[in-house]
Amino acid sequence: MRIPGPPPHTPPVYRLWWYAMRLFVALVCIFLLAPILAIVPISFSSGSFLTYPLPGFSLQWYAEVFEPRPWMFALKNSLIVGSGATVLATTLGTLAALGLAKGNLPGRSAVNAFLISPMIVPLVITAVGVYFFFARIGLNASYPGLILGHTALAVPFVVITVTATLEGFDTNLIRAGQSLGAGPLRVFRRITLPLIAPGVASGAIFAFAISFDEVVVTVFLAGPAQRTLPRQMFDGIRENISPAILAVATLLVLVALALMVTIGLLKRRSDRLRGLHG
């Protein structure tokens, strides 16, 4: 794809500024991506330590990752917790976004601020508060407690994503369905949900990514039986730095890229549906 240049008949000073800004953005991207790209070659190292230059290439660390313990055990826990948190966060976040979309909701700004507060409050503070609260009701070191903790962190992302989708939603479609005798549940299932489905799916992907990558709250809430993949990586960095950690990190980078592509496709579908009903 060809990158367009500055507009024609632009003064030289502005043309220089145009190119300088794009060079600056490119350098920032390289600065942010260089550490991520640097770990990929080491994950294929035949050595036992993190060293450059590589002594040789090998898939031994990827083979270690696919052994039952500890990595596959941690991956299973991450999938269990991530799936549960995604279902709860998507359901609660979508319902909250639908309620916030109504202009006559009393205290709408306060409710919205409360819902997105987990994004603003430092994770350590949230983790400590949740730890002491769950300790009183016996939810520490359990799957339900960990799922609920991750759900609280993921709900704001679902709310923001679905709310953005509802900005272009035509409420006349709901009125038309109600005028034809459809009840609220049927209107939601046949009209509202299909139109906001790309936003809901994007929110679910964000929720899963937040849960799958969470380590701070997991350190406080998870027991040995609930050790997740980020927790295993965190413990591995503290105890024994192995290239297997970089193999896991490389696989997670690929998963993140796949999720980003999926979100981009969902956004295009949402824009297309909004154009059809606009």
Side-chain angles (χ1 to χ4, degrees):
M1 183 178 63
R2 180 177 175 272
I3 301 177
H9 310 296
T10 304
V13 175
Y14 290 102
R15 292 178 66 90
L16 179 62
W17 175 256
W18 190 91
Y19 286 111
M21 284 300 299
R22 276 145 186 80
L23 178 61
F24 175 75
V25 171
L27 292 175
V28 170
C29 292
I30 293 174
F31 175 78
L32 295 175
L33 293 176
I36 298 176
L37 298 178
I39 69 174
V40 177
I42 307 180
S43 68
F44 294 96
S45 174
S46 61
S48 301
F49 303 97
L50 311 182
T51 58
Y52 270 116
L54 302 180
F57 288 91
S58 173
L59 295 176
Q60 60 178 331
W61 305 115
Y62 287 90
E64 180 178 328
V65 167
F66 287 100
E67 291 181 359
R69 284 184 178 269
W71 297 107
M72 287 296 100
F73 174 75
L75 176 61
K76 182 197 72 173
N77 287 335
S78 290
L79 292 176
I80 292 173
V81 175
S83 301
T86 299
V87 172
L88 287 177
T90 303
T91 302
L92 297 176
T94 301
L95 294 176
L98 290 172
L100 291 172
K102 297 181 179 180
N104 58 352
L105 179 68
R108 176 182 177 184
S109 298
V111 173
N112 189 41
F114 174 77
L115 289 174
I116 66 173
S117 60
M119 298 178 62
I120 304 171
V121 178
L123 280 176
V124 174
I125 296 177
T126 302
V128 172
V130 173
Y131 171 78
F132 283 111
F133 176 72
F134 281 2
R136 290 177 175 269
I137 58 179
L139 284 179
N140 281 343
S142 66
Y143 283 111
L146 194 56
I147 291 173
L148 290 176
H150 285 199
T151 299
L153 299 178
V155 163
F157 294 88
V158 180
V159 171
I160 292 175
T161 306
V162 178
T163 300
T165 305
L166 289 170
E167 289 294 331
F169 184 77
D170 187 3
T171 56
N172 291 325
L173 297 174
I174 296 179
R175 298 190 185 97
Q178 292 174 342
S179 67
L180 294 174
L185 184 60
R186 189 172 185 182
V187 168
F188 173 78
R189 184 169 54 88
R190 300 294 296 273
I191 298 176
T192 306
L193 186 59
L195 292 177
I196 67 172
V200 175
S202 298
I205 292 174
F206 277 117
F208 181 80
I210 292 299
S211 174
F212 198 82
D213 193 51
E214 172 54 40
V215 64
V216 178
V217 173
T218 306
V219 168
F220 281 84
L221 297 183
Q226 295 83 38
R227 185 182 295 265
T228 61
L229 201 58
R231 172 70 184 273
Q232 180 63 39
M233 296 175 68
F234 178 76
D235 291 343
I237 292 174
R238 289 193 310 168
E239 299 168 1
N240 180 26
I241 301 179
S242 168
I245 298 176
L246 301 187
V248 176
T250 302
L251 295 175
L252 292 180
V253 169
L254 295 178
V255 172
L257 289 175
L259 293 178
M260 289 176 60
V261 171
T262 304
I263 291 174
L265 294 175
L266 290 172
K267 184 178 183 303
R268 290 180 57 183
R269 184 175 184 274
S270 178
D271 294 339
R272 187 163 58 249
L273 288 175
R274 188 176 301 178
L276 291 175
H277 295 277

